[in-house]
Amino acid sequence: MESIMKVQTANTGEEEAFMQMVLGQQRLLYGIAYSYLRSEADALEVLQEATCRAWTKRRSLKDPARFTPWLIRIVINCCNDELKRRKRVLTVKPAEPDNNMMEMRSDLRLDMEQALDGMKPKYRQVLVLKYYRDMTVAEIAEILDRPVGTVKTWLNKGLKHLRGKMKIKEEA
Amino acid sequence: MALREEKLLEDYFHKLSLEAERVPGSRIHANVRLALHKRSEHAKKLWKKRLWTATTAVVITVLLVVAAGSWMGEGTGLRSALSSFAKTVPLKAYQAILTSDTTVSSAIKAGLMQQVGVSSLEKEGHVLTIDGMAADAMGIIILYSIDNKSEQITKTHQMSLTDSKGAVVGSELIGMHQNLRSGTTLNVTRLTWTGEANNLPDEVEVQLELAKSAGNDQQPVTPEQLINLSVPIKIDKKAMEESGQSIAFNQPLTVAGQTIHIKQVYAGVTGIYVETAYDKNNTQDIFGMLNPRILLGDESEYQGFYLPQRIRKVGREFSVFSNDSTNPNAPLRLTVDGIYALEPSKRELVIDTDKQQILKAPDNALTVEVVQDSAKQQLIVLKHHVTDRNKLSREGNLIMNMSFKDGKGEVHEYDQSLHSFDLTNLFESKQEELNKTGLNLYLIGKEKLPQPLTFTLDSYPNAIKDVRTITLR
């Protein structure tokens, strides 16, 4: 990663080098944003916002080798900000056909979405990285810059929260 | 054993990941590129904030990515950048119709083609949308769709890029006339800059002419029959100049004892451009290379790109081959089977049209007839007899200079458009002959001219075989 950044910085300028590094992870970043927001337009907008923030804060990244975990963290923060904003703003949204491929959403899926939306962001991010991106606890710890033990705790609490929500639904 | 919640989570996220995969990478790419632009634009425009109102024109800014840099596009309309992306035809749709066009399909695969989505104003029921673009120092690829909401069938006539004064700065490499029925029609074109990329203006206008008279290609299109659609775009010249690979190559290629200088090789997203110049000391006037092709890859595994287009820009001549942008660093070789050329003294063609005789020609392969229509117009039918008709175009074309001299030295020009001459009977009677003959037709008017008529050959299919290969990269 570092060597790539150096070479590209020399060749095409810092902005282009930065851009290439972001673009190299675009699918991963978009996937994470989509898992939070479940809307293409919102996920793309958050990706833009995250790219902007990352560019602005690039000097704070001391170790270029940690660029990807750092960027993922920014994307997650942007997603959380967007979710907070949504809670503040009551919007009336028309039903959006997703690329004309409307999908019947099952009750189970809606329950899962509600459970995730109602979860603390720190638990949710661990679940997303583990079950959506198939990351190990160690990798998640690196991304979130937290000890492995903390990640394990958040993971367990996230699953517990989910269990509680889904159980309540089942009982109801 | 996995907990039930874990299984539910895995299933849920698996479905989400499938949904996320539906979004083309190019669209994500475009939005990421847009991010830094929006940031800088935001800073610039803060002071202008009051000037913005909800109902005034909103400038759509689109980001077009070229090989190593970015390309900025801009159009007017009441749509935000994101919604414009959502409404455009996805590049995947183009990928499906471009299976034989390596240059464009590989540009999409390599992520160099940028999804755009900027539309023109509607004119006579037609809307032009630029769906994708990729540019380099030599030209630009444009993927566009035309929405025909009218009942009439129209056709694409010509696309060009112009500056603010209407001067053409980009012209199509190959013009294609495609019929446009009601609905949306996808199209692709490659344009080359008519001058140097660094002399381009900061903003150019994509101009598309549609012709209302679909069907008859023989008749010229009048201005009244044209529908002009345009979309303005801004360009990033610096990024274009930095894209692609310019290979300094000042090594001559010697074919059949003649010297061809390969002056520059440029490989970019729009193609591989080989600049050639013929040495002034050659004993033959070279009209072209025989079957030139680019071989991309090593000797054991390579792709061949044949039939280049030839363009002239700023006094320089280029052969434009296809390129595979997914293989940007592969070895590159140029192979030719020889040249087609004539000694300077053999370029004169002297015909007595009264006697229907050829008095002087480069060889014995030519015969001549003169036919008249009911209006007494004289048509020279110059036949080039070959053993294999398929070789005709591959081994060069017969092209006569427009100007010719009559027996008294007066200069005239022939007309090759032939719109006013009824050719039906001519072709019907000669159908069998056409299979082994190249027919060249020149309308010289009704006037009886002093004989003989002297023409100059600007190109002649006199093949001189000599297979040569040079390594370009």
Side-chain angles (χ1 to χ4, degrees):
Chain A
M1 181 76 76
E2 193 170 15
S3 61
I4 291 171
M5 194 170 190
K6 277 179 183 168
V7 169
Q8 291 189 338
T9 300
N11 286 348
T12 56
E14 186 184 12
E15 187 171 313
E16 185 55 27
F18 170 83
M19 194 49 77
Q20 290 299 325
M21 292 175 76
V22 178
L23 291 172
Q25 304 298 329
Q26 64 173 26
R27 184 59 76 180
L28 167 73
L29 301 173
Y30 173 77
I32 290 170
Y34 188 81
S35 75
Y36 269 86
L37 306 169
R38 300 186 289 270
S39 149
E40 179 188 324
D42 290 348
L44 289 172
E45 200 162 279
V46 156
L47 202 50
Q48 284 190 4
E49 173 62 23
T51 306
C52 262
R53 276 194 209 177
W55 172 256
T56 309
K57 295 179 178 177
R58 65 193 185 281
R59 307 278 181 230
S60 68
L61 178 67
K62 303 296 177 203
D63 180 4
R66 292 177 54 80
F67 181 80
T68 303
W70 175 74
L71 195 55
I72 291 174
R73 201 158 60 239
I74 292 175
V75 170
I76 290 174
N77 288 340
C78 288
C79 289
N80 285 329
D81 289 349
E82 171 60 19
L83 292 174
K84 273 186 215 161
R85 192 193 63 80
R86 282 185 187 178
K87 283 178 185 168
R88 286 199 303 271
V89 182
L90 183 64
T91 53
V92 180
K93 228 177 160 184
E96 283 183 24
D98 185 9
N99 292 334
N100 297 323
M101 285 188 269
M102 282 285 281
E103 198 174 279
M104 185 64 78
R105 293 190 170 182
S106 67
D107 287 347
L108 200 59
R109 176 165 173 165
L110 285 172
D111 291 347
M112 179 65 79
E113 287 177 358
Q114 282 175 5
L116 286 169
D117 287 349
M119 192 180 288
K120 282 187 179 177
K122 59 186 179 184
Y123 302 159
R124 183 176 182 170
Q125 65 195 12
V126 176
L127 295 183
V128 167
L129 295 175
K130 176 153 177 61
Y131 295 101
Y132 185 63
R133 299 309 312 177
D134 292 326
M135 288 180 180
T136 63
V137 170
E139 287 169 333
I140 297 169
E142 188 188 2
I143 285 170
L144 301 179
D145 203 15
R146 290 285 188 276
V148 169
T150 304
V151 171
K152 281 183 180 170
T153 304
W154 289 353
L155 186 61
N156 288 332
K157 288 193 174 176
L159 286 172
K160 193 177 167 188
H161 172 93
L162 206 60
R163 197 179 308 140
K165 289 283 178 188
M166 304 300 275
K167 194 176 173 186
I168 290 167
K169 284 276 177 187
E170 275 174 17
E171 284 169 355
Chain B
M1 189 178 72
L3 295 169
R4 179 171 175 270
E5 307 80 69
E6 289 185 296
K7 180 74 175 70
L8 289 174
L9 271 173
E10 282 169 359
D11 289 348
Y12 169 74
F13 281 131
H14 177 66
K15 282 179 185 163
L16 270 190
S17 68
L18 293 179
E19 286 176 23
E21 285 297 317
R22 288 178 194 159
V23 181
S26 53
R27 193 177 300 166
I28 306 172
H29 191 123
N31 278 271
V32 172
R33 287 272 180 194
L34 197 58
L36 294 193
H37 174 68
K38 282 175 86 177
R39 177 189 55 81
S40 57
E41 286 299 297
H42 178 70
K44 282 180 201 167
K45 289 177 182 171
L46 264 180
W47 67 276
K48 292 182 182 173
K49 204 173 177 181
R50 289 187 177 185
L51 296 176
W52 289 78
T53 68
T55 53
T56 53
V58 175
V59 176
I60 299 170
T61 305
V62 294
L63 196 67
L64 310 173
V65 176
V66 292
S70 62
W71 158 282
M72 301 301 305
E74 191 173 74
T76 54
L78 294 173
R79 291 188 297 177
S80 72
L82 277 178
S83 66
S84 70
F85 284 124
K87 288 175 184 175
T88 190
V89 176
L91 297 180
K92 268 188 185 171
Y94 284 92
Q95 184 84 60
I97 63 166
L98 287 169
T99 49
S100 62
D101 190 328
T102 307
T103 305
V104 183
S105 60
S106 70
I108 298 174
K109 275 185 202 162
L112 302 176
M113 187 69 68
Q114 193 54 56
Q115 186 92 46
V116 188
V118 190
S119 297
S120 69
L121 296 174
E122 183 175 324
K123 279 191 185 169
E124 299 187 44
H126 291 75
V127 177
L128 162 69
T129 300
I130 308 294
D131 295 313
M133 283 177 152
D136 59 26
M138 299 297 273
I140 181 168
I141 300 169
I142 297 181
L143 310 184
Y144 63 99
S145 51
I146 301 154
D147 197 13
N148 181 359
K149 298 172 187 170
S150 72
E151 296 298 315
Q152 62 178 333
I153 300 173
T154 48
K155 66 181 174 183
T156 54
H157 182 60
Q158 179 176 285
M159 183 180 271
S160 60
L161 302 173
T162 59
D163 64 14
S164 58
K165 292 172 185 167
V168 174
V169 295
S171 54
E172 280 184 296
L173 198 56
I174 309 169
M176 269 182 64
H177 294 177
Q178 186 178 16
N179 282 347
L180 306 169
R181 298 177 191 282
S182 292
T184 304
T185 305
L186 306 188
N187 218 326
V188 177
T189 191
R190 274 199 282 167
L191 301 102
T192 53
W193 309 124
T194 52
E196 298 294 345
N198 57 8
N199 291 333
L200 284 167
D202 293 331
E203 182 172 297
V204 298
E205 195 94 19
V206 179
Q207 305 273 9
L208 177 67
E209 289 179 350
L210 304 180
K212 287 186 237 175
S213 60
N216 188 356
D217 282 334
Q218 298 298 320
Q219 296 299 322
V221 179
T222 62
E224 295 74 33
Q225 292 173 310
L226 290 175
I227 303 169
N228 295 295
L229 302 172
S230 64
V231 176
I233 51 170
K234 277 193 174 176
I235 58 174
D236 184 342
K237 290 183 282 186
K238 187 170 178 289
M240 288 194 319
E241 283 166 25
E242 287 171 356
S243 71
Q245 185 187 14
S246 194
I247 305 164
F249 195 90
N250 222 349
Q251 189 181 322
L253 169 66
T254 304
V255 186
Q258 310 299 309
T259 302
I260 302 170
H261 297 286
I262 309 292
K263 299 184 107 175
Q264 191 202 349
V265 179
Y266 177 85
V269 68
T270 64
I272 297 170
Y273 298 74
V274 180
E275 183 189 358
T276 53
Y278 306 125
D279 195 283
K280 286 175 184 170
N281 296 321
N282 285 339
T283 56
Q284 301 270 346
D285 283 349
I286 302 175
F287 307 121
M289 296 179 281
L290 280 181
N291 193 20
R293 64 263 191 197
I294 287 285
L295 307 177
L296 183 71
D298 58 33
E299 290 189 5
S300 60
E301 190 178 346
Y302 59 82
Q303 298 176 78
F305 298 126
Y306 296 79
L307 301 173
Q309 298 296 315
R310 286 165 72 179
I311 59 165
R312 281 193 174 84
K313 56 189 277 178
V314 214
R316 299 156 70 190
E317 184 166 319
F318 294 85
S319 295
V320 187
F321 297 86
S322 295
N323 194 11
D324 181 352
S325 291
T326 63
N327 206 3
N329 299 313
L332 206 58
R333 285 167 292 149
L334 171 69
T335 294
V336 299
D337 288 344
I339 52 174
Y340 56 105
L342 281 176
E343 289 172 25
S345 62
K346 290 190 173 178
R347 287 182 60 185
E348 212 171 57
L349 178 67
V350 183
I351 300 172
D352 186 325
T353 52
D354 288 351
K355 294 178 183 169
Q356 303 195 32
Q357 278 183 349
I358 291 177
L359 305 179
K360 185 184 176 192
D363 54 31
N364 296 324
L366 295 176
T367 57
V368 70
E369 271 182 50
V370 179
V371 294
Q372 288 187 352
D373 64 2
S374 54
K376 303 286 182 191
Q377 294 187 99
Q378 303 172 88
L379 182 74
I380 296 178
V381 181
L382 188 64
K383 296 183 225 172
H384 184 231
H385 303 275
V386 290
T387 51
D388 180 358
R389 185 171 166 74
N390 292 330
K391 285 185 178 179
L392 266 180
S393 58
R394 289 178 58 188
E395 298 192 349
N397 296 314
L398 190 160
I399 300 172
M400 291 210 300
N401 195 291
M402 291 286 287
S403 300
F404 64 93
K405 283 181 187 171
D406 63 24
K408 290 187 174 175
E410 193 176 338
V411 178
H412 305 267
E413 280 196 357
Y414 67 78
D415 180 3
Q416 210 171 15
S417 59
L418 306 177
H419 293 125
S420 59
F421 198 94
D422 182 7
L423 297 167
T424 316
N425 292 336
L426 181 74
F427 283 109
E428 275 177 6
S429 64
K430 298 186 187 307
Q431 194 58 48
E432 198 175 315
E433 206 178 354
L434 280 173
N435 294 329
K436 49 188 178 181
T437 309
L439 279 191
N440 303 275
L441 310 174
Y442 310 97
L443 201 55
I444 55 169
K446 297 175 186 175
E447 190 186 349
K448 285 282 178 191
L449 299 173
Q451 297 298 309
L453 308 183
T454 303
F455 297 85
T456 303
L457 291 162
D458 283 345
S459 176
Y460 192 74
N462 181 45
I464 305 170
K465 302 281 178 71
D466 183 17
V467 180
R468 298 281 167 172
T469 296
I470 51 168
T471 300
L472 304 174
R473 179 172 67 196

